[in-house]
């Protein structure tokens, strides 16, 4: 499809994975305008861009079928920055050499800058921490290029042809794990001098797009009460008017404690009266039954949402005409993890990306006002729309709710069949969770470690949580057991999705939220999933996992370290629950873990 970029924008060539839109988010945060284009976009279509960024991607530049950009972009005279795959593609396209690296790098690495005046390094310390995620590396430089940074395992961590304003970096500046990443990206953006961008301009832009897409039709909006769907619902009401929007809040039985009442009250105070709440909890529990595999559960929940929506639409006489679209609060990380871009791997299918929804999207029957935004941008838009602070800054809650925070199992794994842990004083959990390593999905075991002081989270433990999943393929998470100081074995039991289990997790989640708010930490923590495992240190018992996260946009995340006094109170209170025998604290960053366990 022909697409000529808007004059004054920075064009981001999307080579796949999560990277292009994350770069776009970072550029928007700098107040600059950017557009994302596919690799096959011709140089002529990019002639009005002020600069070009070649994103990272999961493939190898020398593989058949790998994405390739138009080499004529080098003749445009525009500043060009290649990141990871983009860096390798520059070398490959300009007759340098790219080969598999001697050591694959996934995670933090130290680089030494050898040319501090070359983009993107002005103002950056000569030695700094960056985030690597690659198996290949540039071995021989193209003609006219020089090395501008190195690392222990990557001799060409960055390169530049300063005269032609072409730069390549092997690491990811767009992730928060790269210490001076935003400064580096800002240096390149300043060189490009693009047109300005702000949330007000986006609000006007998306408003015009919505009017064009919806036309004279109406929108039936699924509202979960979370930040995303609430902002999307409010935006639709503003742009189309409440007479052309109908909100539906489905009580799945998998929501937080008193969630439905709170949502209805909060939206009622805003004068929003076009929201209908329906209790479908018994239907969801019946449909989920004994399903255990995460993808199966997500599909069931997504299909059930659509089934209830259709039933309610019939009851409200909203069918029988082609004038209704389905509205969803999908944001960009949902699309990425579902493998919704051309070269992205599927990490997990979100409930708003099940097959039935995909078919509706192909027919043009779905409207998603926030699909290009990240969570921090959604919050800014919510504030722009005048939504109350407490509602905009609620912790994210997944669409499938507790359905992906209650792990289930049919045939528990025997301890003897589990992979052996490489860590002393540890136990392997007999359940699996979803992770992401090298842009690919993993479904593997977690390791629980034990320390004499079970409440002390040291830097050594945080480092361990990154190193172990990168070195050992059988594990994608590392947890600290806060309820036991000496190693104990965990045994799993066959457990499905039941109201009783949901009620137990609801109470645990409410306790965690209460204690975090008491400590004044709620807004410092980006998200705090509380997870229920069908295994414990007593046969037939269960365990609770705490997963506090520090993040900006959900694409990368670090474990948030709670004060030991807060963790102590939470652990003690949760252990009083019948049937709960252990409390664990997930220390894994994303990647290699995901924020949610399923």
């Amino acid at each position: 499809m022909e697409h000529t970029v808007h004059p004054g924008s920075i064009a981001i060539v999307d080579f796949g994975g999560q990277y292009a839109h994350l770069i776009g988010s970072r550029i928007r945060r700098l107040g600059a305008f950017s557009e994302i284009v596919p690799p096959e976009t011709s140089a002529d279509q990019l002639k009005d861009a002020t600069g070009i960024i070649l994103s990272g991607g999961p493939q190898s530049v020398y593989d058949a079928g790998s994405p390739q950009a138009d080499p004529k972009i080098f003749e445009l005279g525009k500043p060009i920055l290649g990141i990871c795959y983009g860096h390798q593609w520059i070398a490959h396209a300009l007759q340098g050499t790219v080969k598999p690296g001697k050591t694959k790098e996934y995670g933090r690495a130290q680089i030494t800058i050898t040319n501090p005046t070359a983009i993107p390094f002005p103002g950056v310390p000569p030695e700094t921490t960056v985030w690597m995620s690659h198996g290949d590396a540039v071995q021989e430089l193209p003609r006219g290029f020089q090395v501008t940074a190195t690392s222990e395992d990557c001799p060409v961590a960055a390169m530049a042809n300063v005269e032609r304003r072409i730069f390549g970096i092997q690491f990811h500046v767009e992730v928060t794990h790269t210490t001076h990443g935003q400064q580096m990206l800002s240096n390149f953006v300043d060189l490009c001098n693009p047109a300005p961008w702000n949330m007000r301009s986006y609000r006007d832009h998306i408003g015009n797009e919505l009017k064009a897409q919806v036309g004279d039709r109406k929108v039936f909006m699924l509202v979960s009460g979370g930040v995303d769907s609430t902002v999307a619902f409010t935006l639709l009401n503003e742009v189309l008017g409440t007479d052309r929007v109908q909100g539906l809040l489905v009580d799945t039985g998998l929501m937080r404690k008193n969630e439905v009442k709170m949502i209805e009250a909060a939206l009622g105070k805003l004068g929003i009266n076009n929201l209908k709440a329906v209790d479908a909890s018994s239907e969801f529990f019946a449909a989920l039954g004994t399903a255990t595999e995460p993808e199966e559960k997500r599909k069931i929940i997504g299909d059930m949402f659509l089934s209830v929506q259709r039933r309610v639409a019939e009851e409200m006489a909203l069918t029988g005409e082609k004038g209704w679209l389905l509205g969803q609060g999908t944001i960009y990380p949902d699309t990425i993890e579902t493998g919704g871009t051309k070269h992205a791997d599927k990490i997990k299918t979100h409930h708003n990306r099940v097959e039935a929804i995909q078919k509706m999207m192909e027919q043009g029957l779905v409207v998603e006002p926030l699909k290009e935004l990240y969570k921090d941008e959604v919050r800014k838009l919510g504030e722009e729309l005048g939504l109350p602070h407490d509602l905009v800054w609620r912790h994210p809650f997944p669409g499938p709710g507790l359905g992906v925070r209650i792990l289930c199992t049919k045939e528990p794994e025997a301890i003897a069949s589990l992979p052996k842990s490489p860590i002393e004083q540890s136990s392997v959990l007999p359940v699996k969770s979803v992770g992401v390593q090298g842009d690919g999905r993993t479904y593997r075991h977690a390791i629980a470690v034990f320390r004499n002081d079970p409440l002390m989270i040291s830097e050594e433990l945080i480092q361990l949580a990154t190193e172990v999943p990168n070195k050992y393929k059988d594990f994608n998470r590392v947890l600290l057991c806060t309820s036991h100081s000496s190693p104990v074995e965990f045994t799993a039991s066959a457990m499905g999705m039941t109201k009783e289990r949901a009620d137990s997790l609801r109470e645990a989640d409410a306790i965690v939220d209460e204690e975090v708010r008491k400590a004044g930490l709620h807004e410092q923590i980006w998200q705090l999933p509380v997870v229920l495992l069908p295994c414990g240190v007593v046969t037939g018992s269960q365990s609770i996992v705490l997963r506090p996260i520090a993040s900006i946009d959900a694409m990368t995340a670090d474990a948030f370290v709670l004060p030991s006094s807060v963790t102590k109170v939470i652990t003690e209170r949760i252990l009083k629950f019948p049937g709960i025998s252990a409390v664990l604290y997930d220390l894994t960053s994303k990647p290699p873990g995901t924020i949610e366990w399923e």
Side-chain angles (χ1 to χ4, degrees):
M1 182 175 66
E2 287 290 315
H3 176 82
T4 301
V5 299
H6 188 281
S9 71
I10 294 176
I12 305 170
V13 177
D14 182 5
F15 280 133
Q18 63 191 16
Y19 306 106
H21 281 77
L22 186 52
I23 295 166
S25 170
R26 294 288 186 263
I27 291 176
R28 291 199 294 267
R29 193 169 293 121
L30 291 168
F33 187 64
S34 66
E35 288 184 77
I36 296 170
V37 299
E40 54 270 19
T41 304
S42 69
D44 186 61
Q45 292 169 273
L46 299 174
K47 66 181 184 300
D48 290 330
T50 61
I52 299 170
I53 294 179
L54 306 166
S55 84
Q59 302 189 43
S60 294
V61 294
Y62 45 76
D63 283 350
S66 61
Q68 304 289 321
D70 183 354
K72 291 183 180 179
I73 62 173
F74 299 118
E75 300 171 13
L76 294 174
K78 311 286 185 182
I80 296 175
L81 174 65
I83 300 175
C84 196
Y85 182 97
H87 161 75
Q88 296 166 12
W89 182 83
I90 290 173
H92 180 69
L94 294 176
Q95 284 73 58
T97 304
V98 179
K99 293 182 178 179
K102 294 181 180 179
T103 302
K104 294 185 177 183
E105 287 185 301
Y106 297 108
R108 289 181 174 86
Q110 286 290 119
I111 63 166
T112 299
I113 298 169
T114 57
N115 185 345
T117 63
I119 297 295
F121 299 123
V124 177
E127 293 193 355
T128 187
T129 301
V130 300
W131 185 263
M132 293 283 194
S133 180
H134 70 99
D136 299 336
V138 174
Q139 301 290 332
E140 296 180 13
L141 295 173
R143 184 184 300 273
F145 281 74
Q146 62 174 247
V147 175
T148 57
T150 64
S151 75
E152 182 178 351
D153 295 315
C154 187
V156 188
M159 65 182 184
N161 185 320
V162 176
E163 182 179 351
R164 297 181 67 186
R165 298 191 297 174
I166 303 173
F167 312 95
I169 53 176
Q170 183 55 70
F171 52 89
H172 291 279
V173 291
E174 70 274 19
V175 302
T176 54
H177 299 322
T178 294
T179 307
H180 296 278
Q182 193 73 343
Q183 174 64 48
M184 296 184 204
L185 192 57
S186 178
N187 288 336
F188 180 76
V189 169
D190 289 345
L191 181 66
C192 299
N193 191 28
W197 183 95
N198 57 49
M199 188 52 72
R200 176 72 236 187
S201 66
Y202 178 81
R203 179 181 175 181
D204 295 339
H205 165 75
I206 193 61
N208 291 331
E209 280 200 349
L210 285 172
K211 289 176 182 177
Q213 180 185 358
V214 176
D216 59 358
R217 294 174 291 183
K218 300 177 182 180
V219 178
F220 197 171
M221 177 75 200
L222 293 174
V223 181
S224 70
V227 178
D228 304 333
S229 64
T230 302
V231 171
F233 183 46
T234 305
L235 180 62
L236 285 167
N237 280 332
E238 178 187 86
V239 173
L240 303 177
T242 56
D243 59 326
R244 296 179 59 199
V245 180
Q246 175 61 54
L248 173 64
L249 172 61
V250 179
D251 183 355
T252 63
L254 303 170
M255 304 177 82
R256 288 182 172 127
K257 188 175 182 180
N258 299 323
E259 182 90 351
V260 174
K261 292 180 180 178
M262 186 278 294
I263 295 165
E264 290 181 300
L267 294 181
K269 288 180 181 179
L270 297 175
I272 295 176
N273 55 12
N274 56 335
L275 179 70
K276 179 180 179 65
V278 174
D279 184 355
S281 55
S282 59
E283 297 172 61
F284 275 81
F285 283 123
L288 285 164
T290 58
T292 59
E293 213 281 331
E295 283 292 282
E296 180 187 7
K297 289 163 64 177
R298 285 179 174 274
K299 182 180 185 302
I300 290 170
I301 292 170
D303 288 343
M304 281 302 303
F305 266 118
L306 200 55
S307 174
V308 173
Q309 181 262 338
R310 287 171 174 162
R311 189 190 76 227
V312 173
E314 291 177 358
E315 293 171 356
M316 297 180 69
L318 304 181
T319 56
E321 55 177 299
K322 296 181 179 179
W324 285 89
L325 301 177
L326 176 66
Q328 298 193 133
T330 311
I331 64 175
Y332 193 72
D334 302 342
T335 305
I336 282 293
E337 291 191 326
T338 306
T341 60
K342 186 175 181 180
H343 299 286
D345 190 30
K346 181 167 76 172
I347 306 303
K348 53 192 177 186
T349 301
H350 285 256
H351 71 287
N352 46 16
R353 282 291 184 271
V354 295
E355 185 178 356
I357 296 289
Q358 296 281 20
K359 289 181 179 178
M360 291 181 66
M361 292 175 68
E362 292 169 5
Q363 297 167 5
L365 298 177
V366 179
V367 57
E368 296 177 322
L370 313 179
K371 64 180 182 296
E372 298 294 334
L373 297 184
Y374 287 84
K375 185 71 70 176
D376 61 319
E377 295 172 329
V378 173
R379 286 185 166 134
K380 288 178 183 177
L381 179 58
E383 291 174 337
E384 178 74 25
L385 291 167
L387 291 173
H389 181 83
D390 286 348
L391 196 153
V392 171
W393 286 92
R394 293 186 70 206
H395 284 174
F397 191 60
L402 302 182
V404 292
R405 294 182 179 177
I406 299 174
L407 274 63
C408 304
T409 183
K410 289 179 183 176
E411 299 177 4
E413 291 187 72
I415 294 174
S417 68
L418 297 176
K420 186 177 180 180
S421 172
I423 306 174
E424 294 183 359
Q425 290 188 293
S426 68
S427 294
V428 177
L429 298 185
V431 293
K432 294 179 180 179
S433 71
V434 174
V436 53
Q437 291 161 284
D439 300 321
R441 178 188 191 267
T442 61
Y443 188 48
R444 294 171 182 163
H445 292 280
I447 297 174
V449 298
F450 301 85
R451 294 293 183 264
N452 293 333
D453 184 350
L455 302 174
M456 179 58 67
I457 298 176
S458 63
E459 185 60 37
E460 173 259 337
L461 281 175
I462 296 291
Q463 188 68 23
L464 202 64
T466 297
E467 290 179 352
V468 168
N470 284 333
K471 290 183 178 179
Y472 303 95
K473 65 181 181 63
D474 291 324
F475 309 104
N476 59 15
R477 293 182 192 267
V478 174
L479 301 86
L480 172 66
C481 184
T482 64
S483 56
H484 296 75
S485 56
S486 300
V488 290
E489 289 185 339
F490 287 77
T491 57
S493 302
M495 296 185 188
M497 189 72 64
T498 64
K499 181 180 182 301
E500 292 71 26
R501 295 191 73 202
D503 286 342
S504 293
L505 184 52
R506 246 188 292 278
E507 292 299 326
D509 179 78
I511 284 175
V512 173
D513 184 69
E514 178 186 342
E515 294 300 334
V516 165
R517 288 180 183 275
K518 276 184 186 177
L521 297 171
H522 184 265
E523 289 193 16
Q524 293 182 40
I525 300 171
W526 191 83
Q527 188 173 6
L528 211 171
V530 181
V531 184
L532 183 66
L533 305 184
C535 63
V537 299
V538 176
T539 301
S541 67
Q542 302 182 80
S543 300
I544 290 289
V545 176
L546 311 178
R547 177 66 165 145
I549 281 295
S551 184
I552 294 175
D553 44 43
M555 300 311 296
T556 59
D558 288 316
F560 183 95
V561 179
L562 293 170
S564 58
S565 57
V566 176
T567 306
K568 182 175 185 292
V569 172
I570 290 173
T571 300
E572 290 174 347
R573 290 185 66 183
I574 289 176
L575 284 177
K576 293 179 181 178
F577 285 10
I580 302 296
S581 62
V583 178
L584 302 150
Y585 196 126
D586 191 346
L587 303 175
T588 321
S589 61
K590 176 188 178 180
T594 50
I595 292 177
E596 301 288 349
W597 271 49
E598 292 191 336

